[in-house]
């Protein structure tokens, strides 16, 4: 399909009520994500089309691009440019989670982005760090990460703060030796303590999140840590 044809299909999927909901979260599109995924499934992998869709600067088109691209085909500098162009939260999240994490340059980009002066770019570095905390912690300075979180998370811009908080929670969930300190940091900083959480979802408040996930995994809590209810955010 040509880019123009795809854009016509995306326009047909536009729902003003969906756009109103999405705009409350900083995303300027009105396409139901299930319908967008169905379109991606029909298109299948098309790297050249994905590149052209990304170039439109349209949020729905860029989301679709992350679903039909070939993640391993991107060069490091291409992804660096793309993450700096991805200014809406959903495009940023999908680009990092569906493309960058699957790219062979992911670790190099993690290190480059981690302390970037742009907080949105830095949040991508933290997202990649979370991936390592969970799946490949060897070589990471987890205590050092907690030091940075303790010193900087409270006053960090929203998206960077969210990523730091997610990292704090995952360190506490996955690494029992650091669990008590992670919970203590969360309790002292109180970041996202009052975040509105729907029923049956996990609160992003780190002490609650850590305790609940540990309970679900049947991992013993450190002495003195009482269980509490909690829940977590997912990329949709």
């Amino acid at each position: 399909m040509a880019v123009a044809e795809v854009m016509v299909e995306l326009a047909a999927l536009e729902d003003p009520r969906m756009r109103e909901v999405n705009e409350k979260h900083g995303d300027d599109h009105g396409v139901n994500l299930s319908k967008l995924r169905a379109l991606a499934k029909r298109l299948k992998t098309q790297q050249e089309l994905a590149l052209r869709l990304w170039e439109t600067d349209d949020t729905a088109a860029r989301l679709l691009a992350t679903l039909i691209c070939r993640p391993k085909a991107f060069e490091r500098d291409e992804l660096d440019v793309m993450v700096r162009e991805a200014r809406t939260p959903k495009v940023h999240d999908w680009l990092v989670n569906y493309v960058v994490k699957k790219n062979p340059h992911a670790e190099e980009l993690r290190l480059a982005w981690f302390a970037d002066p742009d907080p949105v770019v830095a949040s991508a570095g933290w997202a990649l760090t979370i991936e390592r905390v969970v799946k490949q912690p060897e070589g990471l300075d987890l205590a050092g990460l907690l030091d940075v979180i303790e010193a900087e998370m409270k006053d960090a811009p929203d998206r960077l703060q969210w990523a730091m908080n997610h990292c704090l929670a995952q360190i506490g969930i996955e690494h029992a030796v650091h669990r008590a300190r992670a919970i203590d940091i969360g309790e002292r900083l109180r970041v996202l303590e009052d975040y509105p959480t729907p029923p049956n979802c996990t609160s992003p408040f780190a002490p609650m999140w850590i305790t609940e996930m540990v309970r679900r995994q049947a991992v013993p809590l450190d002495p003195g840590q009482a269980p509490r209810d909690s829940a977590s955010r997912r990329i949709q």
Side-chain angles (χ1 to χ4, degrees):
M1 293 181 71
V3 171
E5 294 177 87
V6 176
M7 296 303 291
V8 168
E9 288 213 34
L10 289 173
L13 296 176
E14 178 76 16
D15 181 340
R17 290 173 297 179
M18 184 67 68
R19 175 176 285 274
E20 184 179 354
V21 171
N22 289 333
E23 285 181 342
K24 292 178 181 178
H25 300 93
D27 291 303
D28 56 348
H29 75 91
V31 178
N32 179 284
L33 297 182
S34 295
K35 293 180 178 180
L36 187 74
R37 291 181 184 280
L39 175 57
K41 186 175 181 179
R42 177 158 54 85
L43 291 173
K44 300 181 180 179
T45 301
Q46 297 191 50
Q47 179 70 2
E48 188 61 29
L49 177 59
L51 293 174
R52 302 289 80 80
L53 288 171
W54 186 270
E55 290 173 355
T56 66
D57 197 25
D58 177 83
T59 293
R62 284 186 164 182
L63 290 173
L64 181 59
T66 67
L67 298 177
I68 67 169
C69 72
R70 188 174 293 107
K72 294 182 180 179
F74 290 100
E75 296 296 331
R76 176 203 181 281
D77 290 347
E78 287 182 285
L79 291 175
D80 184 70
V81 170
M82 291 169 72
V83 83
R84 295 174 192 281
E85 294 174 337
R87 308 315 295 181
T88 62
K90 188 64 69 178
V91 171
H92 177 90
D93 286 347
W94 282 23
L95 176 64
V96 172
N97 285 281
Y98 299 154
V99 183
V100 179
K101 286 182 179 180
K102 300 176 183 179
N103 184 273
H105 300 289
E107 178 62 12
E108 184 181 354
L109 288 168
R110 181 186 77 83
L111 296 171
W113 291 340
F114 186 79
D116 195 278
D118 183 330
V120 176
V121 176
S123 74
W126 278 88
L128 296 174
T129 299
I130 294 164
E131 183 84 350
R132 285 213 42 199
V133 166
V134 175
K135 296 183 178 180
Q136 193 182 358
E138 296 78 11
L140 282 182
D141 179 5
L142 297 178
L145 288 173
L146 291 176
D147 289 342
V148 176
I149 292 167
E150 186 172 23
E152 300 179 12
M153 182 174 71
K154 181 74 172 179
D155 298 316
D158 288 350
R159 285 162 70 181
L160 178 56
Q161 183 185 73
W162 189 284
M164 286 182 168
N165 183 73
H166 191 174
C167 189
L168 174 66
Q170 291 300 155
I171 290 173
I173 292 165
E174 301 291 337
H175 303 281
V177 68
H178 297 288
R179 189 169 298 144
R181 185 184 176 199
I183 290 173
D184 177 67
I185 289 171
E187 288 177 337
R188 284 187 289 104
L189 298 185
R190 318 306 295 181
V191 167
L192 300 176
E193 179 182 20
D194 299 321
Y195 190 85
T197 305
N200 301 318
C201 290
T202 309
S203 168
F205 180 47
M208 296 176 67
W209 185 352
I210 293 167
T211 306
E212 172 63 12
M213 296 309 296
V214 170
R215 182 190 67 79
R216 292 183 191 181
Q217 297 170 4
V219 177
L221 289 169
D222 289 341
Q225 295 295 339
R228 310 172 207 171
D229 293 331
S230 77
S232 78
R233 179 195 183 207
R234 296 184 304 173
I235 300 298
Q236 297 179 348

